[in-house]
Amino acid sequence: MNIKLVVVGKLKEKYFKAGIDEYSKRLSRFCKFRIIEVPDEKAPESLSESEMQDVMDKEGTRILDKIADKEYVYALAILGKERASEEFAKEIDNLATYGHSDITFVIGGSLGLAPKVLKRADTQISFGRFTLPHQLMRLVLTEQIYRAFMINEGSPYHK
């Protein structure tokens, strides 16, 4: 199985990187895991609605360039469907069972995801209505992917 995160922006904080590296190492026994960073679009603090759409559109094009047709895509979106860890684990297991061996998760930039990215996604997932820094979301998502594999293995990690 191949699992990929396509994310906008660079990870700068060493403590987030250390956590992600640890879970990536743990995931290596279950799948090929990788993170692809695409550049974020420079955006001043105050943007008009059309300027915000332009920023999201440019980032969206960069994201879509990293996704193949065969990939099953989860878009992280506040209005996406919330799942319990067990439900998420079952989804991952079912995807693998029914021929989706390439799974991609997308984390957008500070303004969110362009409509064309949401349209390309097979599903939208939410980790709640909190707004989290995108760097922290990478760590949380990576841990939850690892947790899903551990749940599917019947490991006590989840308890």
Side-chain angles (χ1 to χ4, degrees):
M1 175 175 274
N2 299 302
I3 296 184
K4 175 173 69 178
L5 273 57
V6 178
V7 299
V8 174
K10 291 229 175 271
L11 186 61
K12 297 175 183 115
E13 292 84 355
K14 290 179 183 176
Y15 49 91
F16 287 141
K17 186 168 176 16
I20 291 167
D21 287 346
E22 176 61 29
Y23 286 113
S24 297
K25 184 175 78 177
R26 293 181 188 189
L27 277 166
S28 68
R29 64 185 261 234
F30 300 108
C31 65
K32 179 181 177 191
F33 180 79
R34 62 191 176 122
I35 299 175
I36 297 175
E37 295 177 336
V38 299
D40 56 338
E41 189 66 21
K42 301 300 178 227
E45 285 296 314
S46 57
L47 294 174
S48 69
E49 185 63 34
S50 67
E51 290 171 321
M52 284 192 277
Q53 291 302 320
D54 187 49
V55 167
M56 287 191 302
D57 187 61
K58 287 176 181 174
E59 291 175 348
T61 297
R62 293 176 190 141
I63 290 167
L64 292 174
D65 285 345
K66 303 298 181 188
I67 300 172
D69 290 342
K70 68 178 182 169
E71 295 172 20
Y72 188 92
V73 177
Y74 281 89
L76 274 72
I78 288 177
L79 298 178
K81 180 184 174 199
E82 291 183 38
R83 294 150 170 90
S85 294
E86 297 86 356
E87 183 183 0
F88 180 59
K90 185 174 182 177
E91 271 185 45
I92 296 295
D93 190 50
N94 285 341
L95 286 170
T97 300
Y98 297 106
H100 292 285
S101 60
D102 296 294
I103 301 172
T104 297
F105 293 86
V106 178
I107 301 175
S110 61
L111 299 177
L113 289 168
K116 62 186 175 184
V117 176
L118 295 173
K119 183 178 179 185
R120 167 57 183 93
D122 294 285
T123 189
Q124 294 180 29
I125 188 169
S126 174
F127 284 75
R129 296 186 57 192
F130 285 114
T131 300
L132 298 174
H134 295 185
Q135 296 85 350
L136 177 58
M137 195 64 243
R138 286 189 209 185
L139 175 58
V140 171
L141 176 59
T142 304
E143 190 279 335
Q144 283 297 303
I145 294 168
Y146 174 70
R147 180 177 297 274
F149 281 105
M150 296 304 283
I151 290 169
N152 290 336
E153 183 180 73
S155 167
Y157 173 84
H158 179 59
K159 305 292 183 220

